[in-house]
Structure formats: C-alpha cells, structure tokens
Amino acid sequence: MKDPRRYAAHLVDHYLGARFDAAGHAPGLREAVIDLVAAAIPDHVEPLMRTQLDLLTHPSSDRFPDAYLADRAAAEDALQKAAAGLRTALAQAGHMVNAQTFERGAAARLHDDSRPALRAELARVPRPLTRPEALGWSLDPAPWFSDSHQEQEPWPPLGLASVAGLRSLPEGALAFARVDDGPHADWVQIGLIERQRTPARRYPDQPARQVLIVVGLEAADEPPPGTLPVSRAPWQLWTRPLQHLAPALTRAEAAAESISTTDQALVALTDASATSMIDAPLRRSGPGLPPYVLAPAASVVAALGLEPTGSICGFSLSDTAGEALICRQWRGHLVHDGSYEPFLPVIAGADLLIRPDLFTRLHGTIGPSRCRAGINIHHMTAAQDDDIPDDGD
C-alpha cells in the first residue's frame, strides 16, 4: 500500500468517528490511533484481510462479507491502546487528574456500547402485518423481485403512487393500525419504519431497488411538506429515566402543554444506529446493531409519566399500570442476488406500539384537529456499479 497513514485515517474516521465526536476534545488521541493503525497495516491488517476475504467470499464476488474483519479490529485495538495512555499523556503535559474518575469517564465516552444491539435482539419479532390500511400494498415484501426470467413485477410497486404524494394520512388518528392478537392485542402502532430492498443482479441484469416507508404520530396543524414524520432522540430514552437525560423536560404539565400547542413529531428515530435514511448513503452501524430503533419523543415520555421497564426486556417503557410502550424489531425475507453470495435479508423494520388507554389520553392532549398520522414514502433505483449498500457494508 502506497500510503498506509491515509488509509489508516480513513479507517479511523469510518469506524470510530462517531465515538471521537461523543468523547469531546481529547488532544492527540485521534492522531495516536491513526499512527497505531498505520503501523499495523503492512504486517498485520493487509495479510489478515487478504486471508479473510479469500476464506469468506467467492472469487467472483465483489461484496464484502458480513463479518468483523481485520480493518475494524485494528481500529478498535488501536483505540483501546491509545485511550489507555490518555491519563499518562495528560500528566506529561502537566495536567493531573483523579485517576478513577477520569478512567471511568473516558471509558464511558469511548467504548462501543453493545446494549442497543442486545436489546434489539430481545425486541425482535417475526415481521408483523400491522400497518395503516393505506399501506396494505407493502405487505408483499419486495414485490418487484423475481427469480424467474419472466417479466418482472411493476416498479415502483403498485399502490405506492396512492400515498407517494401524501405528507399525512387523511383519516388522522383513525389511520393508525392496531395489533390484532398476541400479548399486545389492540395496542396502537404510532410509529413504523420499514426498508424493502433487492440487490443488484448480474444475471438476469437487474438494478438494486429500495422502498423506505416512514409513519409517525405528529401534533401539527399542517406538517411541512417534504419532511419526515419523526424527530431525533437518544436511544437511552429506553434505558434511563428522563430526569437523568433531560431534567428540564420532566414536568408532565409543561410537556402536555407543549404537545397541545407546539407542532412536533411525537415519534423519534434514535441515534443507536449510524444509518442515514434517505439523503446519505448507508453507513456501518456496528456489529449486531439494527438499522432502525424508534422511540417516543421526550415530551411523550414526560407527559405520560413513563419510566424504563425494570425487567430484562427489549425496548420497553412502563407506568404504574404496567408496560405502556414498546419498540419491535424485524429483519428477514431472504433473497439471492444471482451470484455466489449467501441469501440477503431484504426487509428491515421497526414499529412503536402504545397501550390503547394511553393513546386515547395522548390523542386528547394533542387535540383531534392536530393529531396527524404523518407519512413519508421514498423509493430509489441504483445501477449495478452503484449498488444500494447493506446494513453491514
């Protein structure tokens, strides 16, 4: 490799950039990590990567395997080594700190948190059929995909045109679907996100295609056109009491007043994943991390007096009456890309369910005229050489 340090800088930013941003100002840490990765590339990373790719991919394939490869391992190892010397580096520069407090704080900011991935596994369910009636066409996953040489199914999928121009469903609160059966029967689905995709095929030649569906509860007189019906929130809303995350937002009366008077999305896409939904290409989201985790907005948590559920669970909030709100996860429907690759899951999604009595209460707080079932449908096609990446790419 002609320029190991440049490649090392790319690996560090690609795999560790978000964690450096979260850690704040740590003088020299990024540079030290890059130096360690660059030193490891010629003798360790390159030969090990070559062996891994030889063993895990077919010679005719150009797709990276869904595995924890040497480049990511080298970046992680370098971060651990460099971070272990942070306190010593500060001491050499004349800054003495409390050892225990500093080490604990640095680890909390820099470590790769596995908890959202573990909770996502606990929250995983078979792909549910619950969704608004207007999205019934989307229940047939990736309907444009065909293994045969016969005429392909229509693209975009039939039915998409009926909702493609909508920013909210006309039925208002009545548009939200309810769970038919199981432990959460009659619960209301106030949030839904699902990506359906098929990979590009070489034979028969076929481009990669994708549909992204987003539905979310909003309080608004008229949602701005072209926007998403979800906000952003930290994933820790599922695991930490709101008073620890945002002490200023914990007053139920103030939160209810905000919901009743201020236009806002009441469903949030959390930062547990680095996946961008529409405007940017998909990025690596970390081993085991799902592409989408939904959560209620902080104002909903405060207004309804919700707390993280105390038992071992997926994504769940409770009140004094019991479990109140959950996020479910699904991924599946395997297809083949026509080459020597393993089958690929083309469906990935999540939804947000709320207990019926709490939905009635929340609907009353919003006001019937301002309660919106926000929607955004996006579809895209990519050429063979510009395939839509998988979650792990």
Side-chain angles (χ1 to χ4, degrees):
M1 183 175 294
K2 293 181 179 179
D3 193 347
R5 199 176 193 283
R6 182 178 179 182
Y7 179 56
H10 166 73
L11 292 179
V12 168
D13 290 339
H14 187 62
Y15 289 122
L16 307 175
R19 287 156 68 183
F20 279 130
D21 292 341
H25 185 58
L29 179 60
R30 179 178 175 275
E31 290 72 18
V33 173
I34 292 173
D35 288 341
L36 289 169
V37 174
I41 286 174
D43 298 326
H44 177 70
V45 177
E46 277 192 304
L48 183 53
M49 268 294 269
R50 195 176 300 114
T51 301
Q52 289 174 327
L53 295 178
D54 286 344
L55 294 174
L56 297 174
T57 60
H58 191 275
S60 66
S61 173
D62 58 3
R63 186 185 298 275
F64 265 49
D66 186 12
Y68 193 82
L69 300 175
D71 58 347
R72 187 180 199 122
E76 184 67 36
D77 185 57
L79 175 62
Q80 299 298 327
K81 289 180 179 178
L86 268 177
R87 187 163 56 88
T88 301
L90 287 174
Q92 291 175 339
H95 301 287
M96 303 302 295
V97 295
N98 180 279
Q100 189 175 32
T101 302
F102 178 82
E103 297 288 356
R104 185 184 296 115
R109 293 189 299 271
L110 287 170
H111 83 293
D112 192 8
D113 195 345
S114 63
R115 289 175 299 171
L118 294 174
R119 284 181 174 263
E121 286 302 305
L122 294 172
R124 183 176 292 196
V125 297
R127 181 175 181 251
L129 302 181
T130 310
R131 61 194 58 207
E133 186 176 345
L135 297 177
W137 55 268
S138 68
L139 287 172
D140 184 12
W144 57 90
F145 182 87
S146 173
D147 276 318
S148 73
H149 293 196
Q150 302 172 3
E151 183 178 351
Q152 298 297 301
E153 297 293 330
W155 174 258
L158 293 177
L160 187 147
S162 65
V163 292
L166 297 181
R167 180 53 184 80
S168 59
L169 295 173
E171 300 89 349
L174 295 177
F176 291 112
R178 290 178 180 257
V179 179
D180 288 332
D181 51 25
H184 299 100
D186 205 36
W187 283 39
V188 184
Q189 185 190 65
I190 59 172
L192 168 70
I193 182 167
E194 184 174 79
R195 188 199 66 218
Q196 303 184 6
R197 65 177 297 274
T198 58
R201 293 172 61 104
R202 285 182 170 78
Y203 185 79
D205 187 45
Q206 186 180 61
R209 291 168 174 170
Q210 175 173 293
V211 169
L212 184 71
I213 300 166
V214 188
V215 178
L217 174 64
E218 293 181 286
D221 292 315
E222 194 63 43
T227 57
L228 292 171
V230 291
S231 59
R232 291 282 181 175
W235 83 271
Q236 288 86 355
L237 279 171
W238 291 112
T239 60
R240 298 183 63 189
L242 187 61
Q243 59 264 32
H244 295 170
L245 294 173
L249 301 178
T250 54
R251 290 183 55 242
E253 298 82 2
E257 182 179 358
S258 171
I259 291 173
S260 65
T261 59
T262 305
D263 289 358
Q264 58 186 288
L266 300 179
V267 173
L269 185 68
T270 77
D271 57 5
S273 171
T275 302
S276 171
M277 290 193 297
I278 291 178
D279 299 325
L282 296 174
R283 296 162 49 197
R284 296 179 187 268
S285 58
L289 197 62
Y292 311 114
V293 176
L294 296 175
S299 57
V300 173
V301 178
L304 299 180
L306 304 181
E307 297 276 347
T309 301
S311 59
I312 296 175
C313 60
F315 302 110
S316 174
L317 297 175
S318 296
D319 61 8
T320 54
E323 195 174 41
L325 200 149
I326 66 167
C327 171
R328 301 187 295 184
Q329 297 281 323
W330 60 89
R331 188 180 185 188
H333 191 69
L334 303 180
V335 300
H336 204 270
D337 69 352
S339 67
Y340 294 93
E341 297 294 335
F343 281 72
L344 301 167
V346 298
I347 300 294
D351 66 1
L352 194 65
L353 304 181
I354 189 170
R355 210 172 62 213
D357 62 306
L358 292 181
F359 179 72
T360 301
R361 178 177 162 189
L362 189 57
H363 179 259
T365 301
I366 299 168
S369 65
R370 298 180 67 249
C371 187
R372 304 281 181 176
I375 186 171
N376 187 291
I377 308 292
H378 180 82
H379 69 90
M380 64 181 294
T381 302
Q384 176 71 58
D385 294 333
D386 189 28
D387 193 6
I388 300 168
D390 295 311
D391 297 332
D393 284 352

